[in-house]
Amino acid sequence: MNFKTIASIVGARPQFIKASPVSRALASDFKEVFIHTGQHYDYGMSEIFFSEMEMRAPDFNLGIGGGSHGEQTGKMLIELEKVFDQVKPDCVLVYGDTNSTLAGALAAAKAGIPLAHVEAGLRSYNRAMPEEVNRVLTDHISTLLFCPTDAAVANLAKEGIIGGVHRVGDVMCDALLYNLVSARAKSKILEQLNLKEGEYSLATIHRAANTDDAKRMLSIVKALGMLPTQVVFPVHPRTRKMIQELNISISSNILMIEPVGYFDMLALQESTNCILTDSGGIQKEAYLIGVRCITLREETEWVETVSAGWNKLVGVDTNKIVDTYNSWHPHGDRAPLYGDGHSAAQISKIISSNL
Ligand code: UD1
Ligand code: UDP
């Protein structure tokens, strides 16, 4: 049988997690060429995910990490064009909203190759976010748009994008359901850090609007220091750099650790009493796991977690964060907003019938 070739482009931490179930689903019907742009390159930001989830090593690693947005995206575009020329894919698959996503999308569009976007239609309606620009542009040149939610489908319709749109659920839900059992069995992070279930909070910060604004960073870190529990804080490299540059002092209840692998992160999320984050993916995982999430931003793309009552958009005001932590304890059912763990299979089927 002559398999069609899909070029899958990944580069940043959440994209390895998103690609894992999709790769598995594509395996029976396609030849997948895996292209890593190199946007994330530390072992703990990249390779650990491939080894934990037993993913095939990338066929190409472009080694393009660091640099300004324009430089990074431009270099990726140049190198991706060369790879596409060599591989001649029948379809290019991109994930989410990073610079790797946009570079992959532009390279595909300019080479006239059908483009499929996983996690299409998400909007924060804040164009100051680099991710918002990446999403909007990618969606407008995509052939197939795989939306995780109804809200995402509606956002695309508002921009006149209707053809090629498929609501398939969220591949991060697939990844979580598939990996949770292994995470429980394999992660030793609670023992290693001497943590007890329900007795610690979990924080992550990496959004540029927070890390690159000294006032906002200080306000968040101050709030974490005022929480009545230990706060486990796996620190993104960009955030560590800013904490060092700004010489921010860290309260003794905050346990700063290196970024952790996916299994440890799932284990930490399952046993915490509260997540405080500006991450997109972690807002969803908190909902899926059933942990309250205090979002350290003014807006979110994952609006359904807020209306379901499990996510609060608190921003960065110190007192507001601490008051919310102390007074807000959601409970009740959580509807399956992100599908049933079979989104990747639907994506594979839809690509198959459209190529
Ligand atoms: C990127 C994405 C963001 C996503 C995040 C996931 C863009 C515009 N942003 O942000 O949407 O939420 O990834 O984590 O694409 N660094 C290292 N080692 C690494 C990776 C990064 O030291 O392995 C440092 C470098 O100094 C780099 C900085 O972190 O310049 C920022 O990395 P970059 O990939 O540009 O952006 P992120 O903040 O990671
Ligand atoms: N994650 C992880 N280790 C960490 C922090 C995050 O494995 O130290 C996982 C997290 O569980 C989620 C994904 O990375 O699956 C989210 O990525 P990130 O927050 O970097 O980016 P975003 O989702 O905001 O784009």
Side-chain angles (χ1 to χ4, degrees), residues 168-228:
V168 292
D170 197 310
V171 296
M172 285 192 83
C173 176
D174 292 26
L176 183 139
L177 294 176
Y178 187 87
N179 289 292
L180 203 51
V181 174
S182 299
R184 284 177 187 143
K186 293 183 182 163
S187 173
K188 300 277 173 280
I189 190 93
L190 267 69
E191 294 91 311
Q192 281 161 6
L193 300 180
N194 200 17
L195 300 169
K196 294 211 170 48
E197 170 137 21
E199 292 184 9
Y200 66 93
S201 309
L202 178 64
T204 78
I205 313 163
H206 73 277
R207 207 51 67 199
N210 286 335
T211 59
D212 297 4
D213 181 327
K215 253 174 135 176
R216 289 178 70 92
M217 268 296 280
L218 281 165
S219 188
I220 295 171
V221 174
K222 190 170 169 203
L224 299 181
M226 287 165 66
L227 299 184

Side-chain angles (χ1 to χ4, degrees), residues 39-42 69 72 98-99 131 206-207 236-238:
Q39 181 171 346
H40 286 177
Y41 46 85
D42 293 342
H69 286 281
Q72 196 178 71
T98 70
N99 290 341
E131 293 86 354
H206 73 277
R207 207 51 67 199
H236 189 288
R238 132 180 252 129

Side-chain angles (χ1 to χ4, degrees), residues 125-157:
Y125 294 103
N126 173 2
R127 289 270 171 112
M129 277 180 88
E131 293 86 354
E132 183 75 355
V133 175
N134 291 342
R135 296 178 193 120
V136 171
L137 295 177
T138 300
D139 284 340
H140 280 262
I141 52 176
S142 289
T143 323
L144 290 171
L145 300 99
F146 296 114
C147 294
T149 60
D150 291 333
V153 175
N155 290 338
L156 290 177

Side-chain angles (χ1 to χ4, degrees), residues 174-349:
D174 292 26
L176 183 139
L177 294 176
Y178 187 87
N179 289 292
L180 203 51
V181 174
S182 299
R184 284 177 187 143
K186 293 183 182 163
S187 173
K188 300 277 173 280
I189 190 93
L190 267 69
E191 294 91 311
Q192 281 161 6
L193 300 180
N194 200 17
L195 300 169
K196 294 211 170 48
E197 170 137 21
E199 292 184 9
Y200 66 93
S201 309
L202 178 64
T204 78
I205 313 163
H206 73 277
R207 207 51 67 199
N210 286 335
T211 59
D212 297 4
D213 181 327
K215 253 174 135 176
R216 289 178 70 92
M217 268 296 280
L218 281 165
S219 188
I220 295 171
V221 174
K222 190 170 169 203
L224 299 181
M226 287 165 66
L227 299 184
T229 58
Q230 194 167 29
V231 180
V232 179
F233 180 19
V235 189
H236 189 288
R238 132 180 252 129
T239 314
R240 187 173 290 277
K241 208 167 103 193
M242 293 316 286
I243 288 175
Q244 280 162 357
E245 264 176 36
L246 297 169
N247 204 12
I248 296 179
S249 70
I250 301 293
S251 162
S252 60
N253 70 317
I254 303 176
L255 184 59
M256 281 177 62
I257 58 175
E258 289 299 311
V260 295
Y262 187 45
F263 289 172
D264 282 346
M265 194 62 190
L266 289 180
L268 284 169
Q269 291 186 81
E270 262 209 310
S271 293
T272 184
N273 68 50
C274 184
I275 292 172
L276 302 103
T277 192
D278 60 12
S279 158
I282 294 172
Q283 291 173 61
K284 286 183 283 182
E285 287 171 350
Y287 178 83
L288 292 166
I289 289 172
V291 176
R292 60 185 176 136
C293 182
I294 293 179
T295 295
L296 307 167
R297 290 176 51 191
E298 284 72 30
E299 77 284 308
T300 182
E301 302 76 38
W302 306 103
V303 289
E304 51 290 315
T305 58
V306 176
S307 41
W310 284 83
N311 186 6
K312 262 216 192 303
L313 282 178
V314 173
V316 300
D317 180 79
T318 302
N319 293 331
K320 215 165 156 201
I321 295 169
V322 176
D323 289 349
T324 307
Y325 181 95
N326 288 327
S327 61
W328 174 61
H329 297 281
H331 49 80
D333 290 345
R334 285 167 293 115
L337 298 174
Y338 298 113
D340 58 0
H342 295 94
S343 303
Q346 289 186 61
I347 288 172
S348 176
K349 229 194 235 161

Side-chain angles (χ1 to χ4, degrees), residues 10 12-23 53 55 95-98 118-119 170-172 174-175 280-281 284 302 344:
V10 292
R13 172 167 67 188
Q15 293 170 328
F16 312 134
I17 294 162
K18 290 167 197 177
S20 153
V22 178
S23 265
M53 291 185 284
M55 293 163 75
Y95 294 87
D97 54 20
T98 70
V118 175
E119 219 175 74
D170 197 310
V171 296
M172 285 192 83
D174 292 26
K284 286 183 283 182
W302 306 103

